[in-house]
Amino acid sequence: MRLLHTSDWHLGRAFHRVNMLGAQAEFIGHLVSTVRERGVDAVVVSGDVYDRAVPPLAAIELFDEALHRLADLGVPTVMISGNHDSARRLGVGAGLIGRAGIHLRTEPAACGTPVVLADDFGDVAFYGLPYLEPALVKAEFKVAKARHQTVLAAAMERVRADLATRARGTRSVVLAHAFVSGGEASDSERDITVGGVAAVPAGVFDGVDYVALGHLHGCQAITERVRYSGSPLPYSFSEAVHRKTMWLVDLDADGSVTAERVDCPVPRALARLRGTLDDLLADPELTRHEEAWIEATLTDAVRPADPMARLTERFPHTLSLAFDPERAPDDPAVSYARRLAGRSDQEIAEDFVAHVRGAGPDPRERGVLRDAFDAVRVDETLREVAR
C-alpha cells in the first residue's frame, strides 16, 4: 500500500505579514496531483490542519475545497486533529464525511478503533491518535500522572490491544501529533511542555509498522518506521534550512517500509542575513538572496538611519529587521531580549527568584512554578477551544 504522509498545514496562518492562503491553496493542488500521478492508495494528515481553534472563513473554505478534491479522487484519507486545532470543531460531521472516504479522527476515546483499508495483501489498520492534551485526557486513559508519555502510552496500549484481535498479518499505521525524542524543533511550533517535559520516546510506538507524526515542522526520520512529514510551507525563519516535503511511503506485504521525499512548492526562498548594513548592501555573495524573504540582523555599533528603506532597495522582500550590535555578553548594553533568548518560561522564572532572593528555588518551589505554568497553558487551551 502506498501512503502519502503530510501534516501541519496550518491553514489560515501568515508568514510575518505575508498572507499564505494562496501558497496553501497551491500546496493542496500539488497534494492532489501527487496522489493522482504517483498512484497513492491512502493519504494521512497528522494534525494541525488549521492554525488556530477558530480559523478564518477563508481557511475553512480552503479546507472544504481540499476535502472535496480528495474525495473526488476516490483515495481514502485519514486525518487527526493537532494542538492548534479545535478537535470538536474539526470533527463536526465526521460520520457523514467518512462516507466520502475522508476519515476524521479527533476523539481520544476512539484511539483504538481503526480505519481499516485493504490491498492485494490484506488489511491495513490506521489508528488516529489526535493531539492528547495530558490534563484533558487523563481521566479518559485512567493514568496517574498527566504527562505526554503516560497518555500516549495508554493510547498505544489500546492500539496494540485492538491489533491483537485482528487477522494475522494485518499491517498497522498510527497517526500521532506529538514531540518525539530525537526530533529537531523550530521556532514556529507551539510549546506543548507539561511538567517540564515535552518529548516522548519513540519506543512508545513499538509494535506497529509505520508511525506518521505531526507537530514538528522539519521533515525528519526518527527511525525508519517513525517519521515527521514536517509542514509543507515555512512558518518562521528558523525553517530557512528546511526542505519542505511529504513522505511517499510504500508499506510492503510483510510490513516493511520504504519512503521517498516528495518536494512541496514553496512560494519564495528564505534567507537569514547578519552583518552591518553597509556589508549587507555591498556583499556580492548575497546576490542570490535578492528575491528571497529576508530576516536581517544588523550588527552596527550604532543604529543606522533608515535601515529598512535601504535594505529593501536591494532586498525588496525583507520581512524582519533586528538589531544585535556586537558586544560582550556581560556588557550592560546587551538587550534584555538577547539575554533571554533560548530560555524557557520556567528558566526565566527561576532566574527571577534567584535575582530577588539571592538563591534559586529549591525542588519543591521548582515544582510549584512548573505546575503554575502547566495550569496557565491548559487554561489557555480551554479558553481557545471554548470560543
Side-chain angles (χ1 to χ4, degrees):
M1 184 172 287
R2 173 163 284 187
L3 317 175
L4 187 63
H5 167 200
T6 177
S7 71
D8 296 272
W9 295 358
H10 289 279
L11 301 181
R13 186 166 183 165
F15 182 73
H16 290 261
R17 61 178 180 272
V18 177
N19 186 321
M20 296 289 278
L21 203 65
Q24 291 168 340
E26 185 178 356
F27 161 69
I28 296 297
H30 171 69
L31 171 70
V32 170
S33 297
T34 301
V35 172
R36 184 171 51 244
E37 295 167 6
R38 300 297 301 270
V40 171
D41 299 306
V43 177
V44 294
V45 186
S46 299
D48 282 354
V49 174
Y50 292 120
D51 188 55
R52 55 182 186 267
V54 185
L57 180 58
I60 297 172
E61 290 173 339
L62 179 56
F63 180 58
D64 181 63
E65 178 188 340
L67 293 182
H68 278 85
R69 295 179 71 177
L70 287 168
D72 287 345
L73 291 172
V75 174
T77 298
V78 184
M79 295 184 173
I80 62 171
S81 50
N83 62 302
H84 280 250
D85 299 308
S86 165
R88 293 180 65 184
R89 284 189 175 85
L90 187 64
V92 169
L96 186 60
I97 295 170
R99 297 181 188 177
I102 309 294
H103 305 281
L104 296 171
R105 290 295 182 263
T106 62
E107 291 291 337
C111 284
T113 304
V115 175
V116 180
L117 306 177
D119 62 11
D120 293 341
F121 303 103
D123 289 345
V124 180
F126 290 77
Y127 297 89
L129 278 57
Y131 173 66
L132 302 175
E133 175 62 52
L136 302 184
V137 301
K138 176 182 175 183
E140 167 63 35
F141 291 107
K142 298 180 176 60
V143 296
K145 292 184 177 181
R147 297 289 184 264
H148 288 294
Q149 182 170 346
T150 55
V151 297
L152 272 171
M156 284 301 301
E157 285 178 6
R158 295 188 184 184
V159 168
R160 284 186 282 266
D162 179 84
L163 193 56
T165 68
R166 300 196 172 270
R168 183 179 179 85
T170 298
R171 289 154 292 161
S172 53
V173 175
V174 165
L175 290 72
H177 197 87
F179 190 166
V180 176
S181 299
E184 184 177 345
S186 62
D187 294 342
S188 49
E189 298 111 8
R190 183 179 294 171
D191 182 26
I192 59 170
T193 300
V194 174
V197 179
V200 299
V204 165
F205 299 104
D206 285 351
V208 296
D209 294 307
Y210 184 71
V211 182
L213 293 174
H215 181 57
L216 299 185
H217 287 186
C219 182
Q220 51 200 295
I222 305 301
T223 71
E224 285 301 304
R225 296 182 180 274
V226 181
R227 297 171 184 263
Y228 283 99
S229 66
S231 62
L233 294 165
Y235 293 113
S236 74
F237 276 103
S238 65
E239 300 174 51
V241 297
H242 289 182
R243 173 187 164 199
K244 294 301 183 182
T245 61
M246 302 176 286
W247 284 113
L248 190 67
V249 178
D250 286 320
L251 188 62
D252 292 339
D254 62 355
S256 60
V257 169
T258 55
E260 171 192 346
R261 293 178 71 176
V262 178
D263 288 291
C264 295
V266 176
R268 196 175 294 278
L270 274 60
R272 307 179 94 172
L273 308 183
R274 180 183 179 87
T276 66
L277 179 57
D278 287 343
D279 286 347
L280 296 186
L281 295 178
D283 189 348
E285 292 294 319
L286 302 182
T287 300
R288 67 186 188 277
H289 298 309
E290 289 179 351
E291 294 304 315
W293 280 325
I294 298 294
E295 177 191 69
T297 300
L298 301 185
T299 60
D300 301 75
V302 177
R303 185 174 300 208
D306 300 321
M308 181 59 92
R310 293 168 64 189
L311 270 173
T312 53
E313 287 181 4
R314 183 179 187 188
F315 306 103
H317 304 288
T318 301
L319 300 181
S320 176
L321 178 61
F323 298 92
D324 188 16
E326 297 289 358
R327 295 190 176 104
D330 57 352
D331 189 321
V334 171
S335 72
Y336 182 69
R338 184 175 174 184
R339 293 199 300 272
L340 297 185
R343 301 185 68 75
S344 68
D345 291 342
Q346 176 88 16
E347 291 169 330
I348 293 168
E350 291 181 10
D351 286 349
F352 176 76
V353 172
H355 173 72
V356 298
R357 195 171 65 183
D362 61 29
R364 183 189 66 81
E365 291 168 331
R366 281 197 293 273
V368 170
L369 287 171
R370 186 167 53 245
D371 291 345
F373 282 119
D374 288 349
V376 168
R377 190 181 55 78
V378 171
D379 183 65
E380 288 175 346
T381 300
L382 289 171
R383 286 174 182 272
E384 186 172 6
V385 171
R387 286 174 59 195

